Amino acid sequence: EDQGEGMLEIWFGRVSVCDCFIVRCNGETMMIDGGMVLHRAGTLLLLEKLGITGVDYLFNTHHHDDHLEMQEYLLRKQGFNAGVFMTPYERDHNVALQKKMQATVDAREIPFRTLHHGDSMMLGGENGAKVEFFRWMGSTDANYSSMMCKITYKERSVFLMADVTGLAQKTLAEEQLDTIPWDADIFKVGHHGYSRQDATLLDAISPDLCVITNSKAGAEKCVKQLDKEGLTWRNTPTGTIYARTDGGEEWVYTQDKSHLKK
């Protein structure tokens, strides 16, 4: 449907055990990660269904293939357009896939922007959604130091944990519980829900809906934790999750399970 003004929409794509999210507000669109080329059918189908051939912002949380590889493929092979590429890494970061992405971005003459902890931007203009970026730098591990973000539109918000988990979550709970605005209505759990989330952070976020980019079996420990806490969760392998809000008192949630129809 045509969105119009005054709405925040998010699609959590059904792209195997990968992160691929589309965020739209007031006519501007951001793609967060994109999955891996092996599972490109899911990413391409999501973009096709939404009629998206380019975005204003292409944001990558970290350089692992299940997050970055498909973004590079879209730019190089699919003629995909992007207004700016945003990454937590400085130029010439010495990781093969990141260097390949930088070369593709440069070849397409797309601006390259390095994000730092505490940076923020507006998606959809001054009356749009505020996007805040956070990163734990206590480790060189790409998952631990992947870029988290919080998206806030008026009274409603989403916290995307990227692949931050384990020691990183524990340390963030100990050291930055009061310096990062954790509370959010929707929580994309860290690292595909492979392990439990830090209980202190989970309590601080206090989500109405948890999104897991993994199968129920693959996220067994996390699912058991969320069930024990009485938290609602949905996982993307069972269908793309769509969330929409006008920033008021509630969200509208749906999940596309058309792939299950025979």
Side-chain angles (χ1 to χ4, degrees), residues 203-245:
D203 183 63
I205 296 168
S206 188
D208 296 322
L209 174 69
C210 299
V211 174
I212 303 172
T213 55
N214 202 341
S215 66
K216 183 177 180 180
E220 181 180 8
K221 292 181 179 179
C222 182
V223 166
K224 287 183 177 179
Q225 177 190 23
L226 300 180
D227 284 344
K228 184 177 180 180
E229 295 297 324
L231 294 172
T232 300
W233 60 270
R234 295 290 182 271
N235 61 326
T236 54
T238 59
T240 291
I241 298 166
Y242 169 67
R244 181 185 74 223
T245 183

Side-chain angles (χ1 to χ4, degrees), residues 47-109:
L47 296 174
E48 179 184 356
K49 283 188 173 184
L50 298 180
I52 293 177
T53 58
V55 294
D56 300 284
Y57 304 95
L58 190 62
F59 166 45
N60 170 244
T61 62
H62 62 298
H63 55 61
H64 283 166
D65 56 0
D66 57 329
H67 296 258
L68 178 59
E69 191 176 56
M70 194 61 193
Q71 288 189 343
E72 193 278 332
Y73 176 88
L74 287 170
L75 294 179
R76 182 170 49 87
K77 290 288 190 179
Q78 299 291 312
F80 197 75
N81 298 312
V84 61
F85 172 64
M86 304 190 302
T87 173
Y89 306 108
E90 302 290 342
R91 291 185 64 86
D92 302 319
H93 186 72
N94 193 26
V95 170
L97 183 54
Q98 179 69 19
K99 292 170 70 175
K100 184 178 181 181
M101 182 62 168
Q102 180 181 316
T104 299
V105 166
D106 289 347
R108 291 288 308 275
E109 298 183 338

Side-chain angles (χ1 to χ4, degrees), residues 54-216:
V55 294
D56 300 284
Y57 304 95
L58 190 62
F59 166 45
N60 170 244
T61 62
H62 62 298
H63 55 61
H64 283 166
D65 56 0
D66 57 329
H67 296 258
L68 178 59
E69 191 176 56
M70 194 61 193
Q71 288 189 343
E72 193 278 332
Y73 176 88
L74 287 170
L75 294 179
R76 182 170 49 87
K77 290 288 190 179
Q78 299 291 312
F80 197 75
N81 298 312
V84 61
F85 172 64
M86 304 190 302
T87 173
Y89 306 108
E90 302 290 342
R91 291 185 64 86
D92 302 319
H93 186 72
N94 193 26
V95 170
L97 183 54
Q98 179 69 19
K99 292 170 70 175
K100 184 178 181 181
M101 182 62 168
Q102 180 181 316
T104 299
V105 166
D106 289 347
R108 291 288 308 275
E109 298 183 338
I110 296 169
F112 182 105
R113 177 184 172 188
T114 300
L115 297 170
H116 302 94
H117 178 80
D119 283 353
S120 66
M121 58 167 281
M122 299 301 294
L123 179 67
E126 62 180 0
N127 295 319
K130 183 178 183 181
V131 185
E132 301 171 272
F133 302 96
F134 307 102
R135 190 180 184 204
W136 184 63
M137 298 297 293
S139 171
T140 58
D141 181 272
N143 286 336
Y144 286 177
S145 62
S146 56
M147 184 68 79
M148 305 172 286
C149 73
K150 181 177 181 179
I151 304 169
T152 304
Y153 185 60
K154 299 179 183 178
E155 301 301 318
R156 304 274 62 87
S157 58
V158 180
F159 200 98
L160 307 178
M161 190 64 81
D163 272 4
V164 179
T165 189
L167 174 64
Q169 283 195 13
K170 181 177 183 296
T171 307
L172 284 165
E174 293 172 347
E175 299 179 355
Q176 298 196 52
L177 193 63
D178 298 323
T179 59
I180 294 177
W182 297 102
D183 60 300
D185 311 306
I186 303 175
F187 172 44
K188 199 291 293 186
V189 305
H191 200 205
H192 314 284
Y194 279 122
S195 58
R196 291 169 53 88
Q197 307 300 292
D198 182 85
T200 301
L201 289 189
L202 190 59
D203 183 63
I205 296 168
S206 188
D208 296 322
L209 174 69
C210 299
V211 174
I212 303 172
T213 55
N214 202 341
S215 66
K216 183 177 180 180

Side-chain angles (χ1 to χ4, degrees), residues 9 28 36 40 43 77 95 128 170 193 201 203 259:
E9 296 176 292
E28 286 195 334
M36 59 198 307
R40 61 186 175 274
T43 303
K77 290 288 190 179
V95 170
K170 181 177 183 296
L201 289 189
D203 183 63
H259 65 286

Side-chain angles (χ1 to χ4, degrees), residues 1 9-13 20-24 46 50 52 240-243:
E1 299 178 358
E9 296 176 292
I10 304 179
W11 289 263
F12 299 89
C20 178
F21 314 133
I22 300 294
V23 185
R24 187 160 61 193
L46 175 65
L50 298 180
I52 293 177
T240 291
I241 298 166
Y242 169 67

